[in-house]
């Protein structure tokens, strides 16, 4: 590469950095993919696992002793967290992982809101 082509590529990259860069990917995922993945794998995964655990108490059957809907989500919490953690870590397309997490979040928040009201 010559110096002129490097300058042209640099100016093209600067033009692409906006709300949405080339290829339709959002700027957060292209500029700082490591930070975005860290946020998704860390605090977002823990919060989502807690919400899924809370929502599970609504759709798990009560069982004969009527405590299964409380005990099972608490027992399964580490498995839920691990599944979400590894999915967020290993998914190649961050946009897809964000959409899956958003779908889970909305489904469980909706279920909890419906059961309370």
């Amino acid at each position: 590469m010559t110096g002129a082509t490097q300058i042209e590529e640099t100016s093209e990259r600067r033009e692409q950095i906006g709300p949405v860069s080339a290829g339709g990917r959002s700027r957060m995922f292209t500029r700082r993919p490591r930070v975005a993945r860290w946020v998704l794998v860390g605090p977002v995964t823990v919060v989502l696992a807690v919400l899924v655990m809370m929502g599970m108490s609504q759709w798990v059957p009560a069982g004969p002793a009527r405590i299964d809907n409380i005990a099972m989500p608490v027992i399964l919490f580490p498995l839920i967290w691990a599944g979400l953690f590894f999915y967020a870590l290993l998914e190649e397309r961050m946009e897809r992982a964000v959409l899956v997490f958003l779908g889970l979040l909305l489904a469980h928040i909706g279920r909890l809101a419906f059961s309370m009201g």
Side-chain angles (χ1 to χ4, degrees), residues 63-110:
R66 302 196 117 341
I67 62 165
D68 289 350
N69 60 334
I70 298 169
M72 291 304 291
V74 173
I75 292 169
L76 292 176
F77 175 75
L79 184 62
I80 295 166
W81 175 82
L84 292 171
F85 176 84
F86 285 114
Y87 176 71
L89 189 65
L90 298 174
E91 176 62 50
E92 291 180 12
R93 292 183 53 203
M94 290 254 319
E95 294 87 358
R96 184 183 309 163
V98 168
L99 288 175
V100 167
F101 278 28
L102 189 61
L104 278 171
L105 177 77
L106 292 176
H108 282 87
I109 284 179

Side-chain angles (χ1 to χ4, degrees), residues 21-97:
S21 61
R25 302 185 103 190
S26 86
R27 188 171 80 182
M28 179 179 178
F29 299 132
T30 56
R31 292 269 319 233
R32 304 221 182 249
R34 215 175 251 188
V35 172
R37 189 163 305 264
W38 179 85
V39 169
L40 187 66
V41 169
V44 172
T45 301
V46 171
V47 169
L48 186 59
V50 168
L51 281 172
V52 169
M53 181 183 69
M54 289 169 48
M56 277 181 72
S57 67
Q58 301 299 317
W59 53 265
V60 171
R66 302 196 117 341
I67 62 165
D68 289 350
N69 60 334
I70 298 169
M72 291 304 291
V74 173
I75 292 169
L76 292 176
F77 175 75
L79 184 62
I80 295 166
W81 175 82
L84 292 171
F85 176 84
F86 285 114
Y87 176 71
L89 189 65
L90 298 174
E91 176 62 50
E92 291 180 12
R93 292 183 53 203
M94 290 254 319
E95 294 87 358
R96 184 183 309 163

